[in-house]
Amino acid sequence: MHAETGFRESAAQALGDPQIRANFRRAMDGLMAKRAAQFPDPEDFQAMRHLGTAIRARSLLKLPALLEQLEASCLRNGIQVHWARTCEEGNELILGLLQARGATRLVKGKSMVSEEMGLNHFLEAHGVEALESDLGEYIIQLDQETPSHIIMPAIHKNKTQIARQFSQKIKDAKYTEDVDELTALARKVLRRKFFEADAGLSGVNFAVADTGTLCLVENEGNGRMSTHVPPLHIAVMGLEKVVETLEDVAPLYALLTRSATGQAVSTYLNLIRGPRGPGELDGPREVHLVILDNGRSRIYADPQLRATLRCIRCGACMNHCPVYTRVGGHAFQAVYPGPIGTILTPQMEGVGVRHELLHGSSLCGACAEVCPVEIPIPEIIVRLRREATHRDAASAVEGRGTGRTATEDLAWRLWAAVLSRPRVYRLAAWCATRFRRLIPGGLPLLKAWTLSRAKPVPARRSLQERVREEGLPHG
C-alpha cells in the first residue's frame, strides 16, 4: 500500500470525525484494561518480556541458519517451501500454485503479510475469488477497506455500522444490532465458503526451525477451517517469523495473547506439521510455505534497525499510542499503522517517501514501555528521521537522504552562514529582537508551528546584549 495523501491531511480528517474518535477511544480503553489485568505484577512482566526479547534476539542472530533449517524441516514434513524477494514475486508464486491446480476460490485466514502483498486485489484481477474468513477482515472486505489495526482490523466500526453494512451487503440479511446474531450471520455465510473453496491461505505467527512446525494463533476457528478443509493450504510469512525450537514458542505465545487481546491463552493454537498423512481423515493434501523478504534482509543488515524484526504483531504499541488512539489506523495509510508501522513502513517503502509518517509520533515512549519484546521504537524513529535527511554512504536504509526539501536545505545553509560569521549573527540577533513582532508567522518553516500554536516572539534583548548590560564577564 502506498500513501495517496499525506499523513497530516488524513490525520486531520480523522480528528474531525467524532465517530472515528469515539470508536477508537472506547476500543483502546478496553484493550489497555484487559492487557493490564494480565500483567498484574510488574516484576513478572519484566521477566517475561526479557525472556521474549532474548528469544527473538537469538532467533534473529541465527536467522540465515534457522531459515535453512526451517526449509529442510518443512521439506522433511512434506511442506513445499518457496522464497519471494518481493511482494510481486510472492503474488506470482501463489497465483501459479492456484492456477496449476485449477483453483479459482480461495478462503483466507488472517494474514498481515498477504495484506502487505496486496494479494486479494492481485488474485481478483486474475480471476481468483479471495474471501477473508476472519470476522474483522470479512467486515472490512465487504466495504473494500483496509485493516485499521493489525489484530482487530475492523475496530474503527461500531455494531450499528456493522449492522447496517450486513443488512445492505449480505443477501436476505435482516437488520439487527445483536452481536450474537451478526456473528451467526457471518458464520453462516463463511461456513459454506470453507467447503466450496479450492484452497486455503493463512499467515504464520511462529515457524519452528528444528521441527518444521507452523504455529497459527487465532480465536474464531477460521484459521483451522482455512488450513484443514480445502485440499490445498498455502501459508505466507515474513522471513523474520522463524524461531529455533518449540520451547521458544510458549513464552512468545504467552506474551502475544496477553499483549494483544488481554487473554491468557487464545481459543485456538494450530501447530501445522504437514499435509494429511496416510489413513488420516482430514487435513489438506498439499501444504506450501511462502517466505517473503520485501526489504526485511535490508533491515536485518543494520544492527540497530534489526530490532524492528523482533515484533510479534501483538498491536500493544498501537493500543497505547496517543497518536494512534486519536487518529486511528487508516490515517497512516499503511498496512502496519501505529508505532510499529511508523518504523516498519518507511524502512520497507523508503524513508523519503514516508518521511511525514516518521513525524506522526510524540516520542512519548509509551510504545516502548508496553512492547513485549522491548523494541526501542522511539530510538529507531529518531534514527530514521536522521536517515531521511542525511545521505550516509554507509547506510543501507531505503531512500536515505531523500526526505530533505529545498526549503529545509536553504534554511540550514542560511543558519550555518549566520552562525559562522559573528558580525552577521549580531546583526541578525539585533533585527530579530527589535522587529520581533513583525516576523511573519507564515514563513515556510515557521508555518508548521503556527498552524496550531502561537507564534514564538524573541526577547527584547539578545543574551549577549543582556550580558554586556549586566556587566557580566564573557569571552
Side-chain angles (χ1 to χ4, degrees):
M1 178 191 294
H2 295 280
E4 296 176 355
T5 59
F7 173 72
R8 189 187 299 275
E9 290 80 4
S10 54
Q13 289 176 9
L15 289 171
D17 186 334
Q19 187 67 69
I20 286 286
R21 297 191 62 179
N23 291 352
F24 272 94
R25 185 71 272 168
R26 183 173 56 253
M28 295 301 107
D29 285 348
L31 287 169
M32 287 192 292
K34 289 180 180 177
R35 175 194 168 277
Q38 290 294 330
F39 296 115
D41 187 325
E43 291 187 5
D44 285 348
F45 171 59
Q46 290 302 328
M48 290 178 69
R49 71 195 299 238
H50 289 340
L51 178 57
T53 302
I55 291 171
R56 291 300 295 134
R58 170 167 49 79
S59 301
L60 291 174
L61 190 65
K62 299 180 177 180
L63 185 62
L66 291 183
L67 285 171
E68 290 182 3
Q69 187 181 10
L70 174 66
E71 181 178 32
S73 300
C74 286
L75 290 174
R76 192 168 57 246
N77 295 343
I79 300 175
Q80 300 300 310
V81 179
H82 310 268
W83 302 85
R85 285 176 299 179
T86 64
C87 292
E88 291 76 16
E89 281 190 15
N91 286 335
E92 292 289 351
L93 268 169
I94 293 171
L95 179 63
L97 290 171
L98 296 172
Q99 288 180 334
R101 289 150 187 82
T104 58
R105 292 168 296 187
L106 175 74
V107 65
K108 293 178 63 193
K110 194 170 182 302
S111 162
M112 290 308 296
V113 171
S114 73
E115 294 283 350
E116 184 181 324
M117 295 161 63
L119 181 64
N120 288 7
H121 294 303
F122 178 81
L123 292 180
E124 286 166 9
H126 290 80
V128 177
E129 178 194 65
L131 181 73
E132 298 287 354
S133 64
D134 174 87
L135 181 57
E137 292 278 359
Y138 176 67
I139 290 169
I140 62 171
Q141 188 178 34
L142 284 176
D143 273 347
Q144 299 184 331
E145 292 182 324
T146 55
S148 58
H149 191 286
I150 62 173
I151 297 295
M152 287 147 288
I155 204 166
H156 56 289
K157 292 181 181 291
N158 58 34
K159 66 178 181 181
T160 302
Q161 293 170 308
I162 295 170
R164 190 182 310 123
Q165 177 197 41
F166 276 20
S167 67
Q168 294 171 350
K169 299 194 174 181
I170 296 179
K171 186 179 178 182
D172 299 329
K174 68 174 185 178
Y175 182 90
T176 176
E177 295 187 11
D178 185 284
V179 174
D180 290 339
E181 289 187 29
L182 290 170
T183 305
L185 180 58
R187 182 186 294 121
K188 182 180 178 182
V189 173
L190 292 171
R191 186 159 289 268
R192 178 172 53 84
K193 293 290 186 179
F194 287 123
F195 291 99
E196 294 176 349
D198 304 306
L201 184 139
S202 74
V204 177
N205 291 98
F206 311 107
V208 183
D210 70 342
T211 61
T213 307
L214 309 179
C215 305
L216 185 60
V217 180
E218 54 147 341
N219 277 316
E220 299 173 12
N222 66 302
R224 182 160 298 181
M225 295 289 281
S226 300
T227 59
H228 282 66
V229 176
L232 170 65
H233 170 213
I234 302 171
V236 292
M237 60 174 265
L239 57 77
E240 78 281 15
K241 290 297 185 71
V242 65
V243 295
E244 192 167 6
T245 67
L246 271 176
E247 286 72 23
D248 290 337
V249 172
L252 295 175
Y253 174 68
L255 283 167
L256 173 60
T257 58
R258 285 174 167 83
S259 301
T261 53
Q263 295 171 283
V265 293
S266 58
T267 308
Y268 297 90
L269 171 60
N270 303 291
L271 303 178
I272 301 166
R273 289 286 300 276
R276 180 190 306 188
E280 292 182 339
L281 299 179
D282 60 5
R285 300 193 180 279
E286 288 184 67
V287 178
H288 294 256
L289 173 63
V290 177
I291 302 176
L292 178 69
D293 186 332
N294 193 31
R296 289 168 172 83
S297 295
R298 188 175 56 247
I299 299 172
Y300 177 78
D302 187 293
Q304 182 188 17
L305 301 180
R306 185 182 302 169
T308 308
L309 301 179
R310 290 207 299 257
C311 180
I312 57 173
R313 305 287 191 270
C314 68
C317 61
M318 301 175 192
N319 306 343
H320 293 74
C321 173
V323 176
Y324 177 88
T325 54
R326 283 161 178 78
V327 304
H330 288 160
F332 291 81
Q333 300 184 37
V335 171
Y336 305 102
I340 189 61
T342 299
I343 62 173
L344 184 57
T345 305
Q347 292 188 74
M348 286 182 167
E349 299 182 12
V351 289
V353 294
R354 288 302 192 144
H355 188 198
E356 200 172 41
L357 200 59
L358 290 168
H359 293 271
S361 167
S362 65
L363 298 178
C364 67
C367 50
E369 285 187 13
V370 299
C371 177
V373 287
E374 301 179 285
I375 301 173
I377 293 176
E379 293 175 24
I380 294 177
I381 291 175
V382 172
R383 161 79 186 279
L384 293 176
R385 285 179 180 178
R386 175 179 169 76
E387 292 282 355
T389 55
H390 291 73
R391 294 185 184 278
D392 182 357
S395 171
V397 174
E398 179 74 9
R400 62 189 182 281
T402 57
R404 296 182 79 127
T405 64
T407 303
E408 196 174 344
D409 274 346
L410 177 62
W412 284 115
R413 281 201 292 272
L414 286 173
W415 183 261
V418 170
L419 290 185
S420 60
R421 295 171 176 81
R423 288 187 179 180
V424 177
Y425 175 80
R426 284 195 290 273
L427 175 61
W430 187 88
C431 291
T433 52
R434 269 56 177 189
F435 303 111
R436 57 200 184 102
R437 297 194 181 280
L438 301 179
I439 298 173
L443 286 175
L445 291 180
L446 194 56
K447 185 179 179 181
W449 179 271
T450 57
L451 274 175
S452 55
R453 305 174 184 88
K455 183 183 71 176
V457 178
R460 294 176 182 277
R461 294 287 184 272
S462 70
L463 178 62
Q464 289 183 334
E465 287 179 297
R466 293 193 60 184
V467 167
R468 282 197 295 272
E469 289 170 2
E470 296 289 334
L472 299 174
H474 61 282

